[in-house]
Amino acid sequence: MKKTLSDYLKIPYRMEVVEDREEGGYVVSFPELPGCLTCGETVEKAIVNAGDAKKAWLEAVLEEGADIPEPASEEAYSGQFKLRIPRSLHKSLAEHSKREGISMNQYCVYLLSKNDAVYVPNRGKHKY
């Protein structure tokens, strides 16, 4: 069954909010919806405008009869990747994880999660 505008509006497309240091304000885009972007003077206004921009983008694409991409599901990711690091960093991670009484794998997941959650220097990540 073909999806309607209402169906697509319920899909949690990833929203990226970036501060525009040159012009001021904030720019919002939806990476999975090419060309769907807007802006606002504040983060809050930019996010409100993003809802309107997403709706207008979806309406236009549906009217054209073109395909609308859907966000990649987490099932597309195994949860594993291989990483080569310097021996000195490996040693440091092993020592820290031992001191915490957890495996190095658990310690690295903790560090990645902690840093991913705070990584918002000039850009926010939201799902809407």
Side-chain angles (χ1 to χ4, degrees), residues 47-59:
I47 290 173
V48 168
N49 292 345
D52 295 336
K54 180 171 87 171
K55 182 178 179 190
W57 189 94
L58 290 167
E59 287 172 335

Side-chain angles (χ1 to χ4, degrees), residues 18-27 39-40 122:
V18 180
E19 183 178 7
D20 185 341
R21 292 183 176 207
E22 292 179 18
E23 301 288 325
Y26 296 84
V27 175
C39 61
N122 294 315

